[in-house]
């Protein structure tokens, strides 16, 4: 009976502390839920601008308005394969379809449509002729367009081709074999991720065209928001690539492409051969060196360690391997046909506890006299003439084109791609000669929609759990141990300077400590009572006090839980009232 009062007091003190904590947490959770609801309502609708066609003029400018299909035509040709590959006999048709649609992921401008790739894992080809050919000789060429990877990009291209002007250029026959002048845009598959810039250069001597690939191309931005790709080629043969308006690559057509635009002036003479007397060994064995007299080539790498001794616990009479005692002869074993059955062996368990078993032999050690086979040291070769190289002669195919930026005239634009992801969107294509107009178009379109897309992306992200900024923000149910520790630490810190303020600010800790003290006193009294019968009246009195405290603690816990429930119900009623008012 004496200990019952003690246990009751301890249990009810804990209940009071937890009940008070739960009541505060319930009210805090209700307030947080209400705040989240209001935040969600305010961010669910973002104001978006409405699409207005731009009045920018250019040799070719496309925003995919309602009459877009009067300018663009899908190809019905078959894709040509490289005859030098094992797929030379395969035929691929451009079965992928196209549409002009608004984006369904992070829409930035209402009513703003783009050209959309509709089929995954399919070959797509579509092109549009220019109103008149584009000839940039002596001019700056600016190519700019938007790419929106609504489903990401695991493997596929999103690049464009500027096709060579030709009378035989027909949109329905556009394919990978159609002659192009420039290929520009992102391409990704597996570890490959780059922005292509390839131009075809005509050899003035042979008349043949050769692709010139940009060395170290920039990495494409694979995001679901709109990306803006810009290529600027200037008459001084320099170029610049920008992504979202940021310069990511620049250089010159004469130095940064492979193979180089202009061949070497001199080449190796193919008829020149290395003379038989040419010595190209820089080092030779020293002919005057002799093997030392004490060099023993027959010495072995290892010898027996004669200083080793057998360990005292070595078991000479135990075999390292013994028959497996758990092995059983198979039921289908035929001694006449299979011979006598011999159980498999296992490591001797007795050997695991000692240094070893069986016949002891001294170990081997490295032979200090071992030197291996002798060979003469190397010295500089007095006859060495250096590394032979054929003599240089004038390159018969040499030419110098100082203006490769004067591209062949261009008559159309085309997208000829294969991709595993659909819903790639192209928009706001500018091909012209004005960097200022391209920048103006960026401000009118990309800058506006990208700002809205950024907000939509932020709004779509799951809210991160805000970490408690102080012990008063902690939730008991999240981490009871941390909750109690932080509350007690806060109480102690305040109590050092003002005990009364500590009791007011953290009353649950003060109450818990008080009950704990009474419990401790009751426990001490109970122990004394057990050892002395004369203390019975005092023990009884102490137990009664503990019981009274326990009852008070129980009442406090009940009141705390009840008040917490009432707070929670009140907050729920508030949210219900607000929801009903919003619905009306």
């Amino acid at each position: 009976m004496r200990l019952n009062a003690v246990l009751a007091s301890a249990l009810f003190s804990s209940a009071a502390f937890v009940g008070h904590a739960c009541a505060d947490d319930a009210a805090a959770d209700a307030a947080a839920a209400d705040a989240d609801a209001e935040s969600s309502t305010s961010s669910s609708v973002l104001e978006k601008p409405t699409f207005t066609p731009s009045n920018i003029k250019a040799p070719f400018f496309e925003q995919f308005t309602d009459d877009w299909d009067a300018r663009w035509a899908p190809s019905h040709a078959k894709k040509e394969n490289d005859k030098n590959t094992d797929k030379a006999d395969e035929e691929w048709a451009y079965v992928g379809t196209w549409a002009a649609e608004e984006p369904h992921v992070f829409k930035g401008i209402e009513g703003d449509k783009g050209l959309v790739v509709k089929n995954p894992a399919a070959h797509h080809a579509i092109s549009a002729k220019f109103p008149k050919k584009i000839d940039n000789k002596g001019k700056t060429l600016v190519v700019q367009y938007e790419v929106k990877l609504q489903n990401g990009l695991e493997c596929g291209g999103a690049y464009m081709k500027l096709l060579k002007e030709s009378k035989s250029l027909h949109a329905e026959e556009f394919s990978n074999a159609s002659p192009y002048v420039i290929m520009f845009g992102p391409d990704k598959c597996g570890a490959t991720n780059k922005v292509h810039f390839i131009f075809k250069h005509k050899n003035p001597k042979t008349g043949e065209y050769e692709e010139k690939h940009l060395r170290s191309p920039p990495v494409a931005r694979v995001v679901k928001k709109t990306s803006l790709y810009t290529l600027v080629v200037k008459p001084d043969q320099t170029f610049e690539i920008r992504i979202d308006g940021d310069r990511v690559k620049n250089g010159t057509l004469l130095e940064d492409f492979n193979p180089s635009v202009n061949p070497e002036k001199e080449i190796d003479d193919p008829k020149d051969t290395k003379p038989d007397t040419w010595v190209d060994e820089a080092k030779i064995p020293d002919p005057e060196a002799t093997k030392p007299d004490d060099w023993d080539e027959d010495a072995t790498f290892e010898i027996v360690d004669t200083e080793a001794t057998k360990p005292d616990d070595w078991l000479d009479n135990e075999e390292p391997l013994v028959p497996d005692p758990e092995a059983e002869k198979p039921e289908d074993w035929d001694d006449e046909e299979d011979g006598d059955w011999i159980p498999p062996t296992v490591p001797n368990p007795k050997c695991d506890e000692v240094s070893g078993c069986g016949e002891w032999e001294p170990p081997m050690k490295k032979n200090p006299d071992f030197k291996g086979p002798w060979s003469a040291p190397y010295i500089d070769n007095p006859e060495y003439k250096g590394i032979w190289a054929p003599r240089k002669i004038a390159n018969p195919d040499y030419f110098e084109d100082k203006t490769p930026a004067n591209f062949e005239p261009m008559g159309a634009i085309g997208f000829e791609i294969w991709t595993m992801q659909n819903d790639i969107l192209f928009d706001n294509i500018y091909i012209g000669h004005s960097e200022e107009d391209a920048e103006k178009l960026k401000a009118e379109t990309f800058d506006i929609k990208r700002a809205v897309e950024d907000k939509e992306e932020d709004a779509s992200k799951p809210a991160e759990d805000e970490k408690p900024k102080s012990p008063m923000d902690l939730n008991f149910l999240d981490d009871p141990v941390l909750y109690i520790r932080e509350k007690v630490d806060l109480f102690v810190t305040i109590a050092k300077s003002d005990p009364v303020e500590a009791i007011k600010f953290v009353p649950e800790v003060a109450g818990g400590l008080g009950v704990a003290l009474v419990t401790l006193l009751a426990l001490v009294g109970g122990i004394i009572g057990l050892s002395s019968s004369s203390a019975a009246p005092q023990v009884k009195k102490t137990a009664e006090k503990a019981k009274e405290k326990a009852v008070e603690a129980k009442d406090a816990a009940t009141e705390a839980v009840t008040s917490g429930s009432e707070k929670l119900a009140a907050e729920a009623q508030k949210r219900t009232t607000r929801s009903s008012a919003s619905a009306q």
Side-chain angles (χ1 to χ4, degrees), residues 262-283:
N262 296 314
E264 298 290 337
K265 289 185 177 182
E266 294 184 328
I267 61 172
D268 293 339
D269 185 354
K271 298 180 180 180
D272 191 15
T273 58
K274 183 173 71 172
D276 296 336
T277 58
W278 189 275
V279 178
D280 49 13
E281 291 84 13
K283 299 282 186 177

Side-chain angles (χ1 to χ4, degrees), residues 1-13 515 517-523 538-556:
M1 292 298 294
R2 294 187 181 98
L3 294 179
N4 284 345
V6 176
L7 294 175
S9 176
L11 290 173
F12 283 120
S13 65
V515 174
L517 179 60
V518 172
T519 302
L520 179 61
L521 292 175
L523 182 61
Q538 181 64 29
V539 172
K540 182 177 181 181
K541 185 177 181 180
T542 304
E544 289 177 354
K545 288 184 178 180
K547 185 176 181 180
E548 291 175 1
K549 291 293 183 180
V551 172
E552 292 176 0
K554 178 181 179 182
D555 294 339

Side-chain angles (χ1 to χ4, degrees), residues 69-321:
D69 53 358
R71 297 180 293 277
W72 292 82
S75 173
H76 301 293
K78 292 186 182 295
K79 184 181 177 78
E80 292 190 11
N81 290 313
D82 189 344
K83 297 180 180 180
N84 297 322
T85 66
D86 56 357
K87 297 183 179 180
D89 297 332
E90 295 182 11
E91 288 188 352
W92 300 96
Y94 293 103
V95 297
T97 57
W98 302 80
E101 300 175 345
E102 294 184 52
H104 62 80
V105 177
F106 303 142
K107 182 195 297 186
I109 299 176
E110 291 289 349
D112 185 16
K113 296 181 180 180
L115 182 65
V116 179
V117 175
K118 296 303 296 178
N119 305 101
H123 296 270
H124 294 71
I126 194 170
S127 62
K129 286 190 174 183
F130 298 151
K132 61 179 182 179
K133 69 178 181 180
I134 297 178
D135 190 345
N136 76 303
K137 288 183 174 62
K139 303 176 184 177
T140 295
L141 177 65
V142 181
V143 179
Q144 179 171 284
Y145 73 116
E146 295 175 359
V147 178
K148 189 176 181 68
L149 307 172
Q150 300 186 85
N151 294 328
L153 187 64
E154 294 297 329
C155 189
Y159 46 80
M160 67 160 61
K161 291 181 178 180
L162 301 184
L163 307 180
K164 179 183 175 183
E165 167 64 13
S166 172
K167 293 181 179 180
S168 60
L169 184 62
H170 300 289
E172 63 275 6
E173 297 177 2
F174 170 52
S175 72
N176 61 317
S178 300
Y180 71 89
V181 179
I182 290 177
M183 177 172 150
F184 172 64
D187 188 16
K188 181 181 184 298
C189 193
T192 299
N193 182 10
K194 60 185 175 182
V195 179
H196 285 295
F197 176 23
I198 305 171
F199 69 92
K200 283 195 173 182
H201 180 262
K202 184 178 181 179
N203 187 313
K205 283 196 169 185
T206 64
E208 296 179 353
Y209 289 88
E210 186 177 39
E211 289 183 350
K212 307 297 181 181
H213 293 249
L214 175 63
R215 290 197 294 265
S216 302
V219 175
R221 293 185 181 173
V222 182
V223 295
K224 294 185 178 182
K225 297 181 292 185
T226 301
S227 296
L228 183 68
Y229 290 87
T230 307
L231 169 66
V232 179
V233 182
K234 297 184 177 181
D236 63 358
Q237 315 311 308
T238 61
F239 72 91
E240 182 174 296
I241 295 176
R242 305 170 192 157
I243 302 180
D244 299 345
D246 301 324
R247 185 175 69 182
V248 294
K249 183 75 175 181
N250 67 309
T252 171
L253 301 184
L254 295 170
E255 298 177 358
D256 295 290
F257 287 78
N258 189 33
S260 177
V261 170
N262 296 314
E264 298 290 337
K265 289 185 177 182
E266 294 184 328
I267 61 172
D268 293 339
D269 185 354
K271 298 180 180 180
D272 191 15
T273 58
K274 183 173 71 172
D276 296 336
T277 58
W278 189 275
V279 178
D280 49 13
E281 291 84 13
K283 299 282 186 177
I284 59 171
D286 185 354
E288 298 181 358
T290 58
K291 183 174 69 173
D293 295 337
D294 60 348
W295 193 285
D296 185 4
E297 291 185 336
D298 297 327
T300 59
F301 179 72
E302 289 183 325
I303 57 175
V304 176
D305 186 358
T306 57
E307 298 178 356
T309 58
K310 182 174 70 173
D312 295 338
D313 61 348
W314 192 276
L315 303 178
D316 296 274
N317 298 325
E318 291 289 341
E319 295 294 332
L321 297 176

Side-chain angles (χ1 to χ4, degrees), residues 492-535:
V492 173
T493 301
I494 300 175
K496 289 180 179 179
S497 58
D498 192 338
V500 177
E501 187 65 21
I503 295 173
K504 292 181 180 179
F505 196 73
V506 198
E508 58 269 40
V509 175
L513 292 176
V515 174
L517 179 60
V518 172
T519 302
L520 179 61
L521 292 175
L523 182 61
V524 173
I527 295 173
I528 296 174
L530 291 174
S531 61
S532 174
S533 59
S534 62

